[in-house]
Structures are given as structure tokens and as C-alpha cells.
Amino acid sequence: MSDKIYDIIIVGGGPGGLAAAIYGARSRLATLLIEKGRPGGQAATTEDMENYPGFARGTTGPGLMEAFTEHAKSFGAEIVRDEVVKVDLEGKVVTTKSGNTYRSKTIILAPGAVPRTLNIPGEFALRGKGVSYCATCDADFFEDLDIVVLGNGDAAVEEANYLTKFANSVTIIVIHDEGILDAAPMLQERAFNNPKIKWVWNSTLAEIKGDGLVESVVIKNIKTNELTEMETNGVFIYVGTVPQTDFLKDSGLEMDSRGYIITNEQMETNIDGVYAVGDARVKYLRQVITAAADGAIAAVAAEKYIAEEEGFRKSVLEEERPVAVAFWSPMVQKALEMMPSIENTVGAYGDKVKLVKMDTYRNQRVAKRYGVTKNPTIVFFHKGEVIATLVEDAINEGSIRQVLDKLSK
């Protein structure tokens, strides 16, 4: 294990992880990003990207992700190619497949998601031999051939349109009734107007056949259960994604039944100092722009967490003298009125006692940790231990002196 302690370790190098690296490194935080493959995640396999702001004429996924990567590096972010296989989220330690161990003050999880498989006969045997989940990766292998796309969401329809640049024909197999798709209206219109695209409705795939290479598919009509075999040279499958969170199952991290990580709006998980961003977290929309936004939020939240935790540790927990921590808010009139009396009473003890004022809005995490729900509240510490707590009307010169007289002897 290296002696170095990073400020932020980011697990995963998709757009969410890379955006977090940009924001973290730009804030002068020691930032390490660990990615098992090529940085960019699924976005790096999407050739045409027309909805990323600032690129009215479109851009490419690989090009945009390369720009993200270089941007992060330009601010000093370290990027290591390795796979994280074990995490101690409470201790902020990650271990990689190569045997390296890294420590950090915070962790941002951006493991992403991968295409869901059908688990039908022939799918795995012919994977890479005509079965694909990535048009950008494999489209040129199917030039002037006839291929099949399964799915009807944005990814399926968008990639089907892209595949027509290479293939002779693209047949989209849709589970819905004729004319019904889940893709965005603009993508639907483009596909319906594409002369190379054909449609099979109310259907799914039952089997993929071939001797070494894909030769045909067995299509099942979900209303009649009728099976029909159709010749094809390739199959592209787009039926959703699976979060890559298996390595987090025993980490204490809260996830939903599908394995997606649960966070709040600050990207905070149920473990202090641990954040999750991108496609692997529970969210409404999984797009490059939302992943990048997640990463920016998480890095800023991590920066504030570090400042709050380190500031509190140095000013309170590591202090040898008794410390009176006055939790208050300038937005609460009662707290405003009482603070001068609190300052004068504690100040009368001179250097024997230290007073620390904490705005509960800016220090929500610390306030919550010590059960502070009302303004003002005074929590008395001595050598890192809580000795007493006074809340609102219980705070007066006499009650403060009663505690401090015992502590300052």
C-alpha cells in the first residue's frame, strides 16, 4: 500500500468519472481515476452524438471522451488503467486486480453499466461472430450485408440509423404494436423515413443460429407465439443495461433491487465521503450530459466534505483544550440574539477554553452527526469526546459556566 493519501479516488472513467476528475483536479485536490478499459465508457462507443450542448452539428463519442480525458489530465488528474476488485468504503481504500492498493479521503463511484443480454441460444456462442452490442465498434464488419437490431429505445433506433451507413438493410425487431417505439420522436422520424430500415412488430428473438458466424435468427411473435426463421448476417442487441456494481455487494453501500446505487442530489451515498455518479446510480435519465453533471456535483460535494471534516478535526477533535462548539445559523433570529451572550460567556475563560462557531447550513454533516436539530445548540468537547450538550432555552450564562467550570479545572 502506498503512503500517499489521495483527496479523491474515482472508480470508473466514463463521462461521470472524467467530469469528476476535471472538477476535482481543478480544485487542487489530489485526484486519481481508475478505469479498467479505455476512458469514456459507453459514450466512447457511440459514433454519432447530436445532443451534447455546444455541438449543433454533432460530434463523436470517442472524440468527446478523448477531450474529457485530456481536460482532466491538463489539471493534473492521475489516470490509471486497472480494475478495482475490492473496496473498503468506510476506510476509503480500494484494491485493484493488479494488486495495488490506494487510499483516499473520499471515493466517487462511477462504474457505469453494460448492455443487458438476452441469454437465448446462440447469443454467447456467436458473440463477436455476428452478435454485437456496439454499432460503433462493429458496423464496418457488416458493409453491404443484412442485419437485425433488437430494441426500440433511443440506443436501438439511433444505432440502427447509424448501421444503415454500412449495411444493405437493417431490420428492427420491436416488442410493441406497429408504429409504437420508446425512442425520442426525432429518432423515430428519422428511422421511419430511412429506406434501408425494415420493421418486425410484436416480436422478440428466440434464438440466434449459425455455424461459426451468424446465419439466421428465430423471431417469436409475442401475441401468437409463432416462430419464424429469418436469414441475417448480424444481430445488434439493445435491451437495456446492467449496472457494474457486483464488486460493491458486500461493501455496505445502499443499492436498489437491480443493483443501482442510491444517492441524494449531492450524489452522496449512505456512507460518509462516498459518492456515486453516472449510469450506475438510480436516476431518471442516463445520458452523457447527466453523467457529466453528476460528476461535477460529486467532486464539489467531496471538496466541501474534505474541508468540513478536516476543519472540524483540526479545530475541535484534535484540540487539547475544552471546546465549546456553538451550532447556529444567521438565518435564525433566536440564534442571532443569543450568540453575543454565548461569545462573552465562553470568552471570559480566556485561553482555557476554545469557542468554535459552526453555521449549520454550511456544516450540515457535522451537525447531523452530533444530533443538532435546533438553533442554537452548544456541544462541549474535550480531547475529541462529547462532554455535554445545551439546546436553545437551556443555554444561558449559568448553564454554560456550569459545564466549563468542570472542564477548565
Side-chain angles (χ1 to χ4, degrees):
M1 181 185 293
S2 171
D3 292 333
K4 181 172 182 177
I5 300 178
Y6 289 91
D7 293 310
I8 299 175
I9 287 179
I10 302 163
V11 180
L18 288 169
I22 290 169
Y23 272 73
R26 185 175 182 272
S27 297
R28 301 294 188 268
L29 299 177
T31 302
L32 171 68
L33 184 148
I34 305 173
E35 164 59 44
K36 64 182 178 181
R38 178 184 177 185
Q42 285 196 79
T45 67
T46 302
E47 184 62 28
D48 292 327
M49 191 172 295
E50 298 179 326
N51 58 355
Y52 195 82
F55 295 90
R57 296 191 178 119
T59 183
T60 67
L64 186 61
M65 290 303 98
E66 184 178 353
F68 271 40
T69 303
E70 292 307 312
H71 197 166
K73 288 180 179 179
S74 73
F75 286 130
E78 294 181 45
I79 298 180
V80 170
R81 187 163 185 173
D82 207 340
E83 180 179 359
V84 173
V85 293
K86 183 179 179 182
V87 293
D88 173 4
L89 297 180
E90 294 287 355
K92 309 296 184 289
V93 178
V94 301
T95 304
T96 64
K97 192 172 184 178
S98 64
N100 292 318
T101 302
Y102 302 93
R103 296 182 295 165
S104 183
K105 298 172 184 175
T106 62
I107 293 176
I108 297 177
L109 299 167
V114 295
R116 185 180 300 278
T117 57
L118 297 174
N119 295 318
I120 60 174
E123 180 181 6
F124 296 114
L126 295 169
R127 187 169 186 169
K129 300 173 183 178
V131 174
S132 177
Y133 308 86
C134 174
T136 306
C137 309
D138 300 327
D140 58 339
F141 295 129
F142 297 91
E143 192 159 0
D144 297 326
L145 298 178
D146 299 308
I147 57 178
V148 162
V149 169
L150 178 68
N152 71 102
D154 284 356
V157 177
E158 187 171 16
E159 299 295 76
N161 273 305
Y162 174 73
L163 285 164
T164 61
K165 296 179 181 181
F166 302 85
N168 177 60
S169 71
V170 176
T171 300
I172 304 181
I173 300 173
V174 182
I175 201 169
H176 300 311
D177 289 337
E178 183 172 349
I180 298 176
L181 299 173
D182 294 329
M186 183 187 72
L187 296 175
Q188 292 188 39
E189 182 180 357
R190 189 179 299 168
F192 286 136
N193 291 329
N194 192 323
K196 283 191 173 183
I197 292 181
K198 304 173 183 178
W199 304 89
V200 175
W201 305 97
N202 297 312
S203 299
T204 187
L205 288 182
E207 185 178 356
I208 303 171
K209 294 183 175 182
D211 184 11
L213 292 173
V214 170
E215 296 172 356
S216 66
V217 292
V218 177
I219 300 172
K220 179 180 180 181
N221 186 294
I222 62 171
K223 290 190 173 182
T224 65
N225 289 325
E226 180 183 359
L227 298 177
T228 305
E229 187 167 349
M230 184 179 80
E231 291 186 2
T232 188
N233 303 114
V235 180
F236 287 79
I237 299 172
Y238 299 98
V239 289
T241 59
V242 179
Q244 296 299 279
T245 55
D246 283 350
F247 72 104
L248 298 168
K249 282 185 177 177
D250 298 319
S251 66
L253 196 68
E254 187 177 359
M255 296 184 278
D256 71 5
S257 59
R258 301 169 298 166
Y260 287 95
I261 304 167
I262 298 171
T263 73
N264 61 16
E265 290 184 354
Q266 285 75 44
M267 306 300 135
E268 296 170 324
T269 68
N270 62 305
I271 300 175
D272 278 354
V274 178
Y275 307 83
V277 305
D279 287 0
R281 81 175 186 93
V282 175
K283 61 190 302 184
Y284 176 70
L285 180 65
R286 292 182 172 86
Q287 292 279 289
V288 172
I289 190 171
T290 63
D294 289 355
I297 293 168
V300 171
E303 178 189 7
K304 293 185 181 300
Y305 169 85
I306 292 169
E308 185 177 342
E309 291 294 315
E310 291 191 343
F312 188 77
R313 187 185 74 248
K314 291 176 181 178
S315 63
V316 178
L317 300 181
E318 295 178 354
E319 177 63 56
E320 290 294 320
R321 295 173 294 171
V323 182
V325 180
F327 290 94
W328 75 300
S329 170
M331 305 299 292
V332 178
Q333 185 62 33
K334 191 170 188 178
L336 276 172
E337 294 172 354
M338 296 179 69
M339 279 308 298
S341 175
I342 293 171
E343 291 173 336
N344 290 334
T345 303
V346 177
Y349 287 80
D351 292 337
K352 291 183 179 180
V353 178
K354 181 178 180 180
L355 174 66
V356 174
K357 296 190 295 181
M358 301 200 77
D359 186 331
T360 52
Y361 178 77
R362 295 178 179 275
N363 299 274
Q364 295 178 30
R365 185 183 303 278
V366 173
K368 181 179 179 181
R369 182 181 304 155
Y370 293 102
V372 175
T373 58
K374 296 181 179 180
N375 277 297
T377 293
I378 305 177
V379 181
F380 298 88
F381 290 81
H382 192 205
K383 296 183 178 179
E385 299 294 328
V386 175
I387 304 301
T389 301
L390 297 175
V391 181
E392 282 190 329
D393 294 337
I395 299 173
N396 55 59
E397 183 179 350
S399 62
I400 295 173
R401 285 186 174 277
Q402 186 177 4
V403 175
L404 294 182
D405 284 344
K406 292 179 182 179
L407 291 176
S408 60
K409 287 181 180 178

Tab-separated table of all heavy atoms in Angstrom, residues 138-182:
chain	number	residue	atom	x	y	z
A	138	ASP	N	-18.503	-2.227	-34.380
A	138	ASP	CA	-18.557	-3.342	-35.330
A	138	ASP	C	-19.264	-3.057	-36.649
A	138	ASP	O	-19.344	-3.941	-37.512
A	138	ASP	CB	-19.251	-4.541	-34.662
A	138	ASP	CG	-18.512	-5.016	-33.415
A	138	ASP	OD1	-17.266	-4.904	-33.406
A	138	ASP	OD2	-19.172	-5.483	-32.476
A	139	ALA	N	-19.770	-1.849	-36.840
A	139	ALA	CA	-20.586	-1.579	-38.034
A	139	ALA	C	-19.870	-1.886	-39.340
A	139	ALA	O	-20.462	-2.429	-40.280
A	139	ALA	CB	-21.049	-0.121	-38.030
A	140	ASP	N	-18.593	-1.545	-39.412
A	140	ASP	CA	-17.883	-1.711	-40.689
A	140	ASP	C	-17.685	-3.165	-41.083
A	140	ASP	O	-17.348	-3.460	-42.232
A	140	ASP	CB	-16.540	-0.978	-40.655
A	140	ASP	CG	-15.638	-1.444	-39.540
A	140	ASP	OD1	-16.150	-2.021	-38.552
A	140	ASP	OD2	-14.415	-1.229	-39.627
A	141	PHE	N	-17.920	-4.108	-40.133
A	141	PHE	CA	-17.828	-5.530	-40.472
A	141	PHE	C	-19.032	-5.992	-41.297
A	141	PHE	O	-19.028	-7.093	-41.864
A	141	PHE	CB	-17.736	-6.395	-39.211
A	141	PHE	CG	-16.480	-6.182	-38.416
A	141	PHE	CD1	-16.547	-5.917	-37.054
A	141	PHE	CD2	-15.229	-6.247	-39.019
A	141	PHE	CE1	-15.389	-5.719	-36.317
A	141	PHE	CE2	-14.077	-6.051	-38.288
A	141	PHE	CZ	-14.159	-5.782	-36.929
A	142	PHE	N	-20.064	-5.165	-41.356
A	142	PHE	CA	-21.317	-5.598	-41.974
A	142	PHE	C	-21.657	-4.781	-43.222
A	142	PHE	O	-22.822	-4.636	-43.589
A	142	PHE	CB	-22.455	-5.495	-40.947
A	142	PHE	CG	-22.254	-6.400	-39.756
A	142	PHE	CD1	-21.582	-5.945	-38.629
A	142	PHE	CD2	-22.708	-7.703	-39.782
A	142	PHE	CE1	-21.383	-6.770	-37.541
A	142	PHE	CE2	-22.514	-8.549	-38.697
A	142	PHE	CZ	-21.846	-8.092	-37.577
A	143	GLU	N	-20.634	-4.282	-43.873
A	143	GLU	CA	-20.852	-3.475	-45.069
A	143	GLU	C	-21.546	-4.303	-46.151
A	143	GLU	O	-21.119	-5.427	-46.474
A	143	GLU	CB	-19.523	-2.926	-45.580
A	143	GLU	CG	-19.693	-1.865	-46.633
A	143	GLU	CD	-18.462	-0.988	-46.779
A	143	GLU	OE1	-17.478	-1.213	-46.046
A	143	GLU	OE2	-18.506	-0.092	-47.628
A	144	ASP	N	-22.648	-3.751	-46.667
A	144	ASP	CA	-23.450	-4.367	-47.743
A	144	ASP	C	-24.093	-5.682	-47.327
A	144	ASP	O	-24.476	-6.497	-48.180
A	144	ASP	CB	-22.604	-4.584	-49.005
A	144	ASP	CG	-22.105	-3.275	-49.593
A	144	ASP	OD1	-22.841	-2.272	-49.490
A	144	ASP	OD2	-20.983	-3.259	-50.127
A	145	LEU	N	-24.233	-5.905	-46.011
A	145	LEU	CA	-24.890	-7.124	-45.522
A	145	LEU	C	-26.245	-6.774	-44.908
A	145	LEU	O	-26.570	-5.607	-44.693
A	145	LEU	CB	-24.006	-7.817	-44.482
A	145	LEU	CG	-22.632	-8.301	-44.980
A	145	LEU	CD1	-21.839	-8.922	-43.840
A	145	LEU	CD2	-22.792	-9.308	-46.133
A	146	ASP	N	-27.014	-7.797	-44.620
A	146	ASP	CA	-28.332	-7.623	-43.998
A	146	ASP	C	-28.236	-7.970	-42.518
A	146	ASP	O	-27.752	-9.061	-42.156
A	146	ASP	CB	-29.365	-8.531	-44.675
A	146	ASP	CG	-29.526	-8.202	-46.151
A	146	ASP	OD1	-29.750	-7.013	-46.460
A	146	ASP	OD2	-29.400	-9.125	-46.987
A	147	ILE	N	-28.695	-7.055	-41.673
A	147	ILE	CA	-28.548	-7.259	-40.228
A	147	ILE	C	-29.851	-6.971	-39.500
A	147	ILE	O	-30.782	-6.362	-40.052
A	147	ILE	CB	-27.416	-6.387	-39.647
A	147	ILE	CG1	-27.668	-4.918	-39.946
A	147	ILE	CG2	-26.070	-6.829	-40.176
A	147	ILE	CD1	-26.614	-3.999	-39.364
A	148	VAL	N	-29.870	-7.404	-38.226
A	148	VAL	CA	-31.049	-7.263	-37.371
A	148	VAL	C	-30.670	-6.455	-36.136
A	148	VAL	O	-29.572	-6.622	-35.591
A	148	VAL	CB	-31.566	-8.662	-36.947
A	148	VAL	CG1	-32.489	-8.564	-35.743
A	148	VAL	CG2	-32.278	-9.326	-38.107
A	149	VAL	N	-31.579	-5.574	-35.709
A	149	VAL	CA	-31.424	-4.844	-34.462
A	149	VAL	C	-32.609	-5.178	-33.575
A	149	VAL	O	-33.770	-5.104	-34.017
A	149	VAL	CB	-31.361	-3.315	-34.694
A	149	VAL	CG1	-31.465	-2.557	-33.370
A	149	VAL	CG2	-30.074	-2.939	-35.408
A	150	LEU	N	-32.343	-5.541	-32.320
A	150	LEU	CA	-33.419	-5.808	-31.367
A	150	LEU	C	-33.483	-4.665	-30.363
A	150	LEU	O	-32.491	-4.332	-29.706
A	150	LEU	CB	-33.177	-7.129	-30.635
A	150	LEU	CG	-34.241	-7.466	-29.577
A	150	LEU	CD1	-35.573	-7.778	-30.243
A	150	LEU	CD2	-33.795	-8.635	-28.697
A	151	GLY	N	-34.675	-4.069	-30.245
A	151	GLY	CA	-34.858	-2.982	-29.295
A	151	GLY	C	-35.630	-1.847	-29.928
A	151	GLY	O	-35.797	-1.790	-31.156
A	152	ASN	N	-36.111	-0.915	-29.095
A	152	ASN	CA	-36.902	0.186	-29.647
A	152	ASN	C	-36.700	1.494	-28.894
A	152	ASN	O	-37.429	2.450	-29.116
A	152	ASN	CB	-38.379	-0.192	-29.663
A	152	ASN	CG	-38.993	-0.239	-28.276
A	152	ASN	OD1	-39.691	0.680	-27.873
A	152	ASN	ND2	-38.726	-1.307	-27.530
A	153	GLY	N	-35.695	1.541	-28.027
A	153	GLY	CA	-35.381	2.764	-27.303
A	153	GLY	C	-34.431	3.648	-28.092
A	153	GLY	O	-34.121	3.379	-29.260
A	154	ASP	N	-33.951	4.709	-27.436
A	154	ASP	CA	-33.057	5.652	-28.112
A	154	ASP	C	-31.832	4.952	-28.698
A	154	ASP	O	-31.456	5.195	-29.844
A	154	ASP	CB	-32.588	6.732	-27.124
A	154	ASP	CG	-33.666	7.763	-26.843
A	154	ASP	OD1	-34.740	7.695	-27.468
A	154	ASP	OD2	-33.439	8.641	-25.997
A	155	ALA	N	-31.198	4.095	-27.877
A	155	ALA	CA	-29.964	3.448	-28.328
A	155	ALA	C	-30.218	2.574	-29.548
A	155	ALA	O	-29.481	2.623	-30.539
A	155	ALA	CB	-29.357	2.621	-27.200
A	156	ALA	N	-31.285	1.766	-29.502
A	156	ALA	CA	-31.568	0.843	-30.603
A	156	ALA	C	-31.851	1.591	-31.904
A	156	ALA	O	-31.294	1.269	-32.960
A	156	ALA	CB	-32.760	-0.047	-30.241
A	157	VAL	N	-32.698	2.596	-31.835
A	157	VAL	CA	-33.105	3.306	-33.052
A	157	VAL	C	-31.967	4.173	-33.584
A	157	VAL	O	-31.733	4.240	-34.806
A	157	VAL	CB	-34.366	4.149	-32.779
A	157	VAL	CG1	-34.759	4.950	-34.011
A	157	VAL	CG2	-35.517	3.242	-32.345
A	158	GLU	N	-31.246	4.821	-32.678
A	158	GLU	CA	-30.129	5.655	-33.108
A	158	GLU	C	-29.037	4.817	-33.769
A	158	GLU	O	-28.497	5.178	-34.821
A	158	GLU	CB	-29.559	6.409	-31.902
A	158	GLU	CG	-28.498	7.433	-32.250
A	158	GLU	CD	-28.123	8.306	-31.069
A	158	GLU	OE1	-28.442	7.935	-29.918
A	158	GLU	OE2	-27.517	9.352	-31.298
A	159	GLU	N	-28.714	3.688	-33.158
A	159	GLU	CA	-27.672	2.842	-33.712
A	159	GLU	C	-28.123	2.152	-35.007
A	159	GLU	O	-27.313	1.889	-35.895
A	159	GLU	CB	-27.229	1.795	-32.682
A	159	GLU	CG	-26.633	2.381	-31.396
A	159	GLU	CD	-25.341	3.133	-31.649
A	159	GLU	OE1	-25.412	4.278	-32.159
A	159	GLU	OE2	-24.268	2.597	-31.334
A	160	ALA	N	-29.411	1.860	-35.102
A	160	ALA	CA	-29.925	1.287	-36.348
A	160	ALA	C	-29.749	2.270	-37.503
A	160	ALA	O	-29.344	1.887	-38.611
A	160	ALA	CB	-31.398	0.921	-36.192
A	161	ASN	N	-30.052	3.531	-37.236
A	161	ASN	CA	-29.827	4.556	-38.266
A	161	ASN	C	-28.355	4.619	-38.662
A	161	ASN	O	-28.021	4.736	-39.843
A	161	ASN	CB	-30.280	5.922	-37.740
A	161	ASN	CG	-31.756	6.185	-37.983
A	161	ASN	OD1	-32.226	6.108	-39.107
A	161	ASN	ND2	-32.487	6.491	-36.925
A	162	TYR	N	-27.485	4.545	-37.677
A	162	TYR	CA	-26.044	4.588	-37.955
A	162	TYR	C	-25.619	3.378	-38.785
A	162	TYR	O	-24.826	3.494	-39.726
A	162	TYR	CB	-25.272	4.638	-36.634
A	162	TYR	CG	-23.779	4.539	-36.804
A	162	TYR	CD1	-23.037	5.602	-37.312
A	162	TYR	CD2	-23.101	3.374	-36.453
A	162	TYR	CE1	-21.661	5.513	-37.471
A	162	TYR	CE2	-21.732	3.278	-36.597
A	162	TYR	CZ	-21.012	4.340	-37.107
A	162	TYR	OH	-19.662	4.246	-37.262
A	163	LEU	N	-26.170	2.215	-38.478
A	163	LEU	CA	-25.792	0.987	-39.170
A	163	LEU	C	-26.159	1.025	-40.654
A	163	LEU	O	-25.522	0.360	-41.478
A	163	LEU	CB	-26.458	-0.219	-38.491
A	163	LEU	CG	-25.843	-0.649	-37.151
A	163	LEU	CD1	-26.794	-1.568	-36.391
A	163	LEU	CD2	-24.494	-1.324	-37.371
A	164	THR	N	-27.184	1.802	-40.997
A	164	THR	CA	-27.579	1.873	-42.414
A	164	THR	C	-26.519	2.545	-43.276
A	164	THR	O	-26.576	2.449	-44.499
A	164	THR	CB	-28.919	2.624	-42.577
A	164	THR	OG1	-28.783	3.972	-42.087
A	164	THR	CG2	-30.045	1.915	-41.850
A	165	LYS	N	-25.553	3.206	-42.670
A	165	LYS	CA	-24.444	3.785	-43.439
A	165	LYS	C	-23.556	2.694	-44.020
A	165	LYS	O	-22.810	2.916	-44.971
A	165	LYS	CB	-23.606	4.706	-42.552
A	165	LYS	CG	-24.345	5.930	-42.034
A	165	LYS	CD	-23.426	6.760	-41.145
A	165	LYS	CE	-24.134	7.980	-40.575
A	165	LYS	NZ	-23.228	8.796	-39.717
A	166	PHE	N	-23.638	1.504	-43.418
A	166	PHE	CA	-22.770	0.388	-43.819
A	166	PHE	C	-23.563	-0.768	-44.428
A	166	PHE	O	-23.189	-1.318	-45.456
A	166	PHE	CB	-21.987	-0.121	-42.607
A	166	PHE	CG	-21.128	0.913	-41.939
A	166	PHE	CD1	-21.657	1.769	-40.981
A	166	PHE	CD2	-19.786	1.071	-42.283
A	166	PHE	CE1	-20.870	2.735	-40.364
A	166	PHE	CE2	-18.992	2.027	-41.693
A	166	PHE	CZ	-19.540	2.872	-40.729
A	167	ALA	N	-24.649	-1.139	-43.756
A	167	ALA	CA	-25.375	-2.356	-44.133
A	167	ALA	C	-26.256	-2.146	-45.362
A	167	ALA	O	-26.621	-1.025	-45.717
A	167	ALA	CB	-26.231	-2.821	-42.966
A	168	ASN	N	-26.603	-3.256	-45.972
A	168	ASN	CA	-27.551	-3.230	-47.089
A	168	ASN	C	-28.961	-2.969	-46.576
A	168	ASN	O	-29.727	-2.193	-47.168
A	168	ASN	CB	-27.497	-4.561	-47.837
A	168	ASN	CG	-28.507	-4.628	-48.971
A	168	ASN	OD1	-28.468	-3.819	-49.887
A	168	ASN	ND2	-29.414	-5.592	-48.893
A	169	SER	N	-29.306	-3.639	-45.462
A	169	SER	CA	-30.614	-3.421	-44.832
A	169	SER	C	-30.500	-3.671	-43.333
A	169	SER	O	-29.665	-4.458	-42.877
A	169	SER	CB	-31.678	-4.340	-45.435
A	169	SER	OG	-31.455	-5.686	-45.028
A	170	VAL	N	-31.370	-2.978	-42.566
A	170	VAL	CA	-31.421	-3.153	-41.110
A	170	VAL	C	-32.872	-3.416	-40.729
A	170	VAL	O	-33.757	-2.587	-40.995
A	170	VAL	CB	-30.913	-1.901	-40.371
A	170	VAL	CG1	-31.065	-2.086	-38.869
A	170	VAL	CG2	-29.462	-1.615	-40.740
A	171	THR	N	-33.132	-4.584	-40.149
A	171	THR	CA	-34.474	-4.928	-39.689
A	171	THR	C	-34.542	-4.747	-38.176
A	171	THR	O	-33.789	-5.388	-37.436
A	171	THR	CB	-34.840	-6.380	-40.047
A	171	THR	OG1	-34.785	-6.541	-41.484
A	171	THR	CG2	-36.236	-6.727	-39.555
A	172	ILE	N	-35.423	-3.863	-37.726
A	172	ILE	CA	-35.576	-3.614	-36.286
A	172	ILE	C	-36.742	-4.451	-35.764
A	172	ILE	O	-37.870	-4.353	-36.257
A	172	ILE	CB	-35.835	-2.124	-35.997
A	172	ILE	CG1	-34.720	-1.257	-36.585
A	172	ILE	CG2	-35.946	-1.898	-34.493
A	172	ILE	CD1	-34.900	0.228	-36.324
A	173	ILE	N	-36.438	-5.266	-34.760
A	173	ILE	CA	-37.451	-6.120	-34.137
A	173	ILE	C	-37.948	-5.421	-32.881
A	173	ILE	O	-37.176	-5.142	-31.960
A	173	ILE	CB	-36.873	-7.503	-33.807
A	173	ILE	CG1	-36.391	-8.175	-35.097
A	173	ILE	CG2	-37.900	-8.367	-33.102
A	173	ILE	CD1	-35.639	-9.471	-34.874
A	174	VAL	N	-39.260	-5.143	-32.855
A	174	VAL	CA	-39.857	-4.324	-31.794
A	174	VAL	C	-40.913	-5.123	-31.041
A	174	VAL	O	-41.751	-5.788	-31.657
A	174	VAL	CB	-40.497	-3.058	-32.393
A	174	VAL	CG1	-41.081	-2.173	-31.284
A	174	VAL	CG2	-39.472	-2.272	-33.196
A	175	ILE	N	-40.891	-5.006	-29.730
A	175	ILE	CA	-41.825	-5.767	-28.899
A	175	ILE	C	-43.226	-5.159	-28.892
A	175	ILE	O	-44.199	-5.815	-28.551
A	175	ILE	CB	-41.274	-5.891	-27.465
A	175	ILE	CG1	-41.927	-7.064	-26.727
A	175	ILE	CG2	-41.439	-4.571	-26.699
A	175	ILE	CD1	-41.262	-7.413	-25.416
A	176	HIS	N	-43.348	-3.900	-29.299
A	176	HIS	CA	-44.634	-3.198	-29.257
A	176	HIS	C	-45.452	-3.396	-30.542
A	176	HIS	O	-44.965	-3.937	-31.530
A	176	HIS	CB	-44.405	-1.700	-29.050
A	176	HIS	CG	-43.686	-1.371	-27.783
A	176	HIS	ND1	-44.045	-1.875	-26.553
A	176	HIS	CD2	-42.608	-0.557	-27.564
A	176	HIS	CE1	-43.220	-1.393	-25.634
A	176	HIS	NE2	-42.339	-0.600	-26.224
A	177	ASP	N	-46.680	-2.857	-30.469
A	177	ASP	CA	-47.534	-2.865	-31.655
A	177	ASP	C	-46.942	-1.970	-32.737
A	177	ASP	O	-46.117	-1.085	-32.452
A	177	ASP	CB	-48.943	-2.367	-31.308
A	177	ASP	CG	-49.720	-3.363	-30.452
A	177	ASP	OD1	-49.378	-4.558	-30.484
A	177	ASP	OD2	-50.651	-2.927	-29.745
A	178	GLU	N	-47.411	-2.149	-33.949
A	178	GLU	CA	-46.880	-1.406	-35.089
A	178	GLU	C	-46.950	0.109	-34.868
A	178	GLU	O	-47.973	0.649	-34.449
A	178	GLU	CB	-47.651	-1.764	-36.357
A	178	GLU	CG	-47.115	-1.084	-37.610
A	178	GLU	CD	-47.761	-1.579	-38.881
A	178	GLU	OE1	-48.484	-2.608	-38.828
A	178	GLU	OE2	-47.530	-0.955	-39.935
A	179	GLY	N	-45.822	0.759	-35.126
A	179	GLY	CA	-45.745	2.213	-35.024
A	179	GLY	C	-45.376	2.743	-33.655
A	179	GLY	O	-45.156	3.949	-33.488
A	180	ILE	N	-45.300	1.865	-32.651
A	180	ILE	CA	-45.009	2.317	-31.287
A	180	ILE	C	-43.547	2.039	-30.940
A	180	ILE	O	-43.089	0.886	-30.986
A	180	ILE	CB	-45.937	1.628	-30.265
A	180	ILE	CG1	-47.388	1.991	-30.541
A	180	ILE	CG2	-45.549	2.036	-28.842
A	180	ILE	CD1	-48.383	1.283	-29.653
A	181	LEU	N	-42.827	3.104	-30.606
A	181	LEU	CA	-41.430	2.992	-30.183
A	181	LEU	C	-41.230	3.784	-28.897
A	181	LEU	O	-41.990	4.705	-28.594
A	181	LEU	CB	-40.494	3.545	-31.267
A	181	LEU	CG	-40.504	2.875	-32.636
A	181	LEU	CD1	-39.636	3.677	-33.608
A	181	LEU	CD2	-40.012	1.442	-32.534
A	182	ASP	N	-40.178	3.443	-28.150
A	182	ASP	CA	-39.853	4.182	-26.937
A	182	ASP	C	-38.808	5.266	-27.182
A	182	ASP	O	-38.477	6.026	-26.271
A	182	ASP	CB	-39.322	3.225	-25.858
A	182	ASP	CG	-40.394	2.248	-25.392
A	182	ASP	OD1	-41.587	2.641	-25.414
A	182	ASP	OD2	-40.054	1.108	-25.022
